[in-house]
Amino acid sequence: MSRTPIIAGNWKMHLDHLEAIQLVQNLAYHLERADYEASELVVCPSFTSLRSIQTLIEGDRLELRLGAQDCHWEADGAFTGAVSVGMLARLKVAYVLCGHSERRQLFGETDEITNRKVRAVLAADLSPILCVGETLEQREADRAGEVVLAQLRGSLADIGADALERMVVAYEPVWAIGTGRTATPADADEMCGVVRRTIAEDFGEPVADGLRVLYGGSVKPGNVAELMRRSEIDGALVGGASLDPEDFAVICRWHRL
Ligand code: 13P
């Protein structure tokens, strides 16, 4: 089955809304029709920039899609500081990152919390980008496959196969995030294959065939093409390099490299 690749930029806690506007304008200047046709191009700004970027995308008719970096699972209520999926949907957000390793490690988010978020995102007809990935210690102990499998099963508990049509998974080994150390294309491909096989076992082949599995962790202009050539890798979730419009544009042009 042919799957439309996704190139998504996760800006993390960088850029105020004015800087975010400037980055998107600059990025759009570098992109051509063929780039939008080759992949879905997504930017995930911080909450305070979402409205500005939504307005820019609509005003300039850009074909960029909007993603959010997190959400709360409840529709509303006394959850100071939290943002609901409904609020994101009103801003035409299409994708929501769930269970990013920084949320897991720095904010104590468990598979159970991630599962609630994934379910809330799916219930609102948005697409979760569920992030999974092992630490260096786990990889060195030869436990990468087992860890990723447990994260997937925990985060996807009580979800029906039909709801998973819109799901995206990002395999992001923790040791490769922001370190300049990328998984080798072969290792990344193998782990994305583990993700797909687990989904096939639990939800059936058709769901697994349609599932887009992204790789994330020090994706740069110099390594994106080789990663994208691998059959199990359907795209990239890019941190640092997505903050530089020229670098991110080159990554979005992977199909021409
Ligand atoms: P880097 O590309 O900076 O390694 O970040 C990856 C990431 O965490 C994307 O979500």
Side-chain angles (χ1 to χ4, degrees):
M1 170 188 265
S2 78
R3 299 178 286 264
T4 306
I6 298 178
I7 304 291
N10 173 11
W11 296 347
K12 308 190 179 184
M13 199 172 75
H14 296 287
L15 309 180
D16 63 32
H17 72 290
L18 296 175
E19 293 164 331
I21 289 171
Q22 211 169 33
L23 191 149
V24 169
Q25 283 172 331
N26 207 333
L27 174 67
Y29 173 79
H30 290 285
L31 296 176
E32 293 176 12
R33 169 122 299 279
D35 304 323
Y36 294 107
E37 281 167 3
S39 337
E40 264 182 68
L41 305 180
V42 183
V43 288
C44 305
S46 55
F47 288 136
T48 57
S49 299
L50 281 173
R51 173 67 175 153
S52 306
I53 301 304
Q54 179 216 358
T55 309
L56 176 61
I57 287 175
E58 286 179 1
D60 287 5
R61 294 171 198 245
L62 304 177
E63 284 176 58
L64 287 172
R65 319 277 315 267
L66 200 50
Q69 297 176 17
D70 189 28
C71 66
H72 195 275
W73 56 88
E74 292 289 348
D76 49 39
F79 301 103
T80 301
V83 172
S84 75
V85 180
M87 294 170 187
L88 299 174
R90 293 281 282 162
L91 294 173
K92 308 267 174 64
V93 164
Y95 291 97
V96 184
L97 302 184
C98 297
H100 190 281
S101 65
E102 285 148 19
R103 301 294 321 170
R104 293 174 188 267
Q105 293 203 313
L106 306 173
F107 299 92
E109 295 190 5
T110 58
D111 287 333
E112 195 203 325
I113 289 175
T114 304
N115 174 254
R116 288 188 209 165
K117 294 185 179 190
V118 170
R119 283 192 287 162
V121 173
L122 289 171
D125 282 342
L126 272 58
S127 296
I129 300 181
L130 168 63
C131 303
V132 295
E134 80 286 358
T135 62
L136 185 58
E137 204 180 20
Q138 291 164 334
R139 169 151 288 253
E140 284 174 347
D142 237 353
R143 293 185 49 227
E146 165 201 334
V147 166
V148 163
L149 193 142
Q151 287 173 336
L152 277 174
R153 295 212 160 126
S155 307
L156 296 178
D158 299 322
I159 297 177
D162 42 339
L164 288 193
E165 250 173 48
R166 284 188 312 282
M167 220 345 246
V168 177
V169 174
Y171 166 63
E172 298 203 306
V174 176
W175 48 271
I177 296 177
T179 58
R181 258 185 88 175
T182 325
T184 64
D187 282 347
D189 193 54
E190 187 192 329
M191 289 302 292
C192 290
V194 168
V195 169
R196 200 178 309 284
R197 275 197 303 284
T198 306
I199 298 295
E201 275 171 33
D202 293 2
F203 299 97
E205 293 284 345
V207 175
D209 276 354
L211 179 77
R212 286 171 301 171
V213 184
L214 317 183
Y215 167 77
S218 296
V219 175
K220 306 284 177 211
N223 59 24
V224 66
E226 212 191 330
L227 288 161
M228 293 298 288
R229 269 197 286 275
R230 296 286 169 155
S231 61
E232 295 291 357
I233 302 178
D234 304 312
L237 183 54
V238 187
S242 71
L243 296 169
D244 179 319
E246 285 172 26
D247 278 358
F248 194 51
V250 175
I251 292 172
C252 294
R253 284 202 296 268
W254 62 270
H255 58 105
R256 298 197 246 160
L257 295 173

